[in-house]
Amino acid sequence: MTDPVLFYAASAALACVLLLGALEKLKDMAVFYAAVHAYEIVPAGLGGLFAWGFVLAEALAGALLLAPGLRAAGAALALLVLALASAGVAFNLARGRRDIDCGCGGPALRGAAARGAGLSWWMVARNALLALWTLPVFAAAQGASRALQWADAAPVFGLAMSAVALYFTANHLLASHLKLRQLHI
């Protein structure tokens, strides 16, 4: 059993990250499609379909994490999205291909490859940490230790926003690390 504050905060934080990621990609699907194409994993003819499917799965996972009764399905879809993204990055790193855009979206990493700082193992680690956020969601499916109370709203909101802030801070630190790595090479 798990405390519902942790469950709702983890669900809300992960939903926020996924929905904002999907929104960033939807703002310029041509850039995301170019990133998918640069990974050279999906056949060129299916790249557009994959790009749209990925973004829609990311958005759907975020929405399901906010829907009562569907959070476990949202967490499972989030794990799939994170696994696909991580596998693509890891596959290209294993091939020695660092100088491509991650396709993550967001201002921190946008254009990192053009600045000479593309893929890194830190991105895989970041996604693994995001995957850990699904654990409270799955644990809550076993039942909460108590009912959610009105006074729980502030801790849920505070924990969720703190987690989102930490995620975006980590992204900016990652972008700074990649930029510094480029300057020292």
Side-chain angles (χ1 to χ4, degrees):
M1 295 222 214
T2 188
D3 191 285
V5 169
L6 182 60
F7 161 63
Y8 283 103
S11 294
L14 187 56
C16 188
V17 168
L18 291 168
L19 290 169
L20 288 172
L23 181 62
E24 280 294 323
K25 291 173 187 74
L26 284 170
K27 282 184 188 177
D28 196 346
M29 280 299 291
V31 169
F32 183 60
Y33 172 73
V36 167
H37 180 69
Y39 273 61
E40 295 179 359
I41 297 173
V42 178
L46 298 176
L49 182 63
F50 178 85
W52 277 103
F54 186 89
V55 171
L56 293 176
E58 187 176 28
L60 180 60
L64 290 174
L65 283 163
L66 297 174
L70 298 173
R71 287 184 181 95
L77 187 55
L79 281 175
L80 176 64
V81 166
L82 291 166
L84 282 172
S86 297
V89 171
F91 182 72
N92 275 283
L93 287 170
R95 294 193 298 179
R97 300 184 69 232
R98 297 179 155 268
D99 59 341
I100 58 176
D101 189 346
C102 70
C104 306
L109 295 172
R110 186 179 300 124
R115 295 187 307 270
L119 302 181
S120 94
W121 287 107
W122 289 107
M123 292 174 181
V124 176
R126 177 202 59 195
N127 288 350
L129 288 174
L130 281 175
L132 287 177
W133 285 3
T134 64
L135 294 179
V137 178
F138 288 122
Q142 305 302 316
S145 59
R146 65 179 178 84
L148 195 65
Q149 304 296 317
W150 69 270
D152 292 327
V156 166
F157 181 78
L159 282 171
M161 291 303 98
S162 295
V164 171
L166 283 172
Y167 171 79
F168 284 108
T169 300
N171 259 0
H172 283 283
L173 289 172
L174 174 62
S176 296
H177 167 74
L178 294 174
K179 188 172 184 178
L180 286 173
R181 187 182 75 198
Q182 176 225 0
L183 293 173
H184 290 357
I185 291 178

